[in-house]
Amino acid sequence: SASGTNSSGSSSAARDTGLQVNLYPVKNMQITASLTNSNNGQSTSSFFDPTTGGSFSPNGTSNISGQRTNATTYTFSYAPIERLSLNGSLTRSLSLVPGYDNTESRLMDVGFNFAPFNKLQLGGQFSGQNLTYVGGQGNSNNRSYTMTGTAGPFGKLSFTSTLQRMDFGSAIYNFGGTSNTSPVSPVSNIINGNTGSNGLNSTYLQQGINTVWSLRTAYEIGGNRSLFLQWQSLDAAAPRDAFYNNSPGDALGYHTAQNYRRGTGTVGLEIRLTDIIAFTMDTNIIRLTDRDDKKYSYSARAINMDLSARF
């Protein structure tokens, strides 16, 4: 913990506490549980007044402690056999800024790596994120699934394929009128147009499913150089239209291309400059098909040069 007072008269008394437990129930398995609590302890009385509905006020008279965060995390790793490893984590956290913004989040990750043969490696990952802004705005719920397979090298040739699905959803809304002190209507009510009497008049709801598939073939030509061919497709779908002022449509005032399919074919050269830095030159043929409005469909060609680092 730490405390102090600055020249303006505001004070802080930060505190951080934590507890961690490691368990080893069976061979090659580790489970970790941790609990953390932090408080930055800073007084916001000199600039923040919650009585104005969450606005900043240089003359505010309220005395509010700063942000507090509570987090509970569980992780595990397990290797039941030499060629298979499993891992995962679960985190729940609550972030509190009294009188202004409270956020609850739940995060989960589960993955595996499996090498059934010397020249074949498989990997998978599931990630889930749920954010709830208690009494605020911007709730979201996201899921992603990833499968990756690598085969080779067969001589100088190797193959990599990835399939990923992302299911996302968000709700952003704001207040209108003269008062914003009433509780926020549930998202289900907003979708149905029942905003109640809290002055809520603008909503933007978005939900989508993106599916990405890619196949890459690389051929080593020596001198840390390789030629590669790649195909990548993206299928974007929005089961629910965006809502703005409780009416379907493009919330941002222009076409947002929420339902489309895009394919990209690439041929290029990669030069490994160091173990982590590479220079890439490639040419791409891109085709996008907009399922909502065909006039936004297009075909294009692009030439790229990239300097990248992989850690």
Side-chain angles (χ1 to χ4, degrees):
S1 64
S3 62
T5 302
N6 59 32
S7 58
S8 64
S10 63
S11 62
S12 64
R15 293 180 177 86
D16 293 283
T17 58
L19 175 66
Q20 179 172 303
V21 177
N22 296 319
L23 301 175
Y24 305 89
V26 298
K27 183 180 179 181
N28 297 328
M29 174 181 281
Q30 177 178 340
I31 299 176
T32 300
S34 62
L35 174 65
T36 59
N37 182 288
S38 64
N39 187 337
N40 67 10
Q42 183 176 359
S43 171
T44 58
S45 59
S46 61
F47 63 90
F48 182 75
D49 186 359
T51 61
T52 62
S55 64
F56 290 90
S57 173
N59 299 318
T61 58
S62 300
N63 187 7
I64 311 171
S65 61
Q67 179 173 322
R68 293 181 292 130
T69 301
N70 298 322
T72 305
T73 302
Y74 303 93
T75 64
F76 83 92
S77 61
Y78 182 43
I81 59 176
E82 182 179 358
R83 294 179 176 270
L84 174 64
S85 63
L86 309 172
N87 61 84
S89 66
L90 176 64
T91 301
R92 180 184 181 276
S93 64
L94 181 63
S95 178
L96 304 173
V97 182
Y100 182 57
D101 191 13
N102 302 320
T103 305
E104 183 181 24
S105 67
R106 293 178 295 277
L107 308 175
M108 182 172 66
D109 288 285
V110 179
F112 76 91
N113 288 285
F114 182 43
F117 310 106
N118 291 334
K119 294 187 177 182
L120 177 62
Q121 295 184 2
L122 303 174
Q125 188 80 21
F126 166 77
S127 299
Q129 180 188 63
N130 186 295
L131 297 179
T132 302
Y133 285 76
V134 184
Q137 59 175 329
N139 299 344
S140 65
N141 192 329
N142 307 300
R143 301 287 185 271
S144 67
Y145 312 82
T146 303
M147 289 290 295
T148 301
T150 300
F154 302 104
K156 297 182 179 181
L157 193 64
S158 61
F159 302 88
T160 301
S161 182
T162 302
L163 177 64
Q164 183 176 36
R165 174 188 170 101
M166 293 164 285
D167 188 340
F168 62 90
S170 63
I172 301 174
Y173 38 91
N174 56 58
F175 295 98
T178 58
S179 173
N180 60 5
T181 58
S182 300
V184 174
S185 297
V187 173
S188 59
N189 289 338
I190 299 172
I191 294 174
N192 296 322
N194 303 322
T195 58
S197 59
N198 58 5
L200 191 65
N201 66 358
S202 294
T203 65
Y204 176 34
L205 308 182
Q206 189 176 38
Q207 181 181 352
I209 300 174
N210 290 346
T211 304
V212 180
W213 177 75
S214 67
L215 176 63
R216 180 185 177 102
T217 302
Y219 184 79
E220 297 287 343
I221 59 176
N224 294 326
R225 295 172 297 170
S226 62
L227 296 172
F228 66 90
L229 296 173
Q230 179 173 292
W231 170 258
Q232 183 181 81
S233 67
L234 166 61
D235 189 288
R240 184 182 300 281
D241 292 333
F243 278 70
Y244 187 63
N245 290 331
N246 301 314
S247 300
D250 289 317
L252 302 180
Y254 54 83
H255 187 68
T256 54
Q258 298 181 76
N259 291 282
Y260 64 91
R261 179 181 290 108
R262 185 182 67 199
T264 304
T266 304
V267 56
L269 171 66
E270 181 180 79
I271 303 174
R272 304 296 305 179
L273 303 178
T274 67
D275 290 339
I276 63 174
I277 300 177
F279 176 72
T280 303
M281 296 182 296
D282 57 59
T283 181
N284 303 269
I285 299 176
I286 307 168
R287 180 173 179 80
L288 183 142
T289 301
D290 192 311
R291 289 190 289 260
D292 289 332
D293 194 334
K294 297 298 183 182
K295 71 180 181 181
Y296 291 100
S297 301
Y298 66 86
S299 297
R301 292 180 177 85
I303 297 176
N304 300 322
M305 290 184 290
D306 297 311
L307 184 64
S308 59
R310 299 177 182 177
F311 300 93

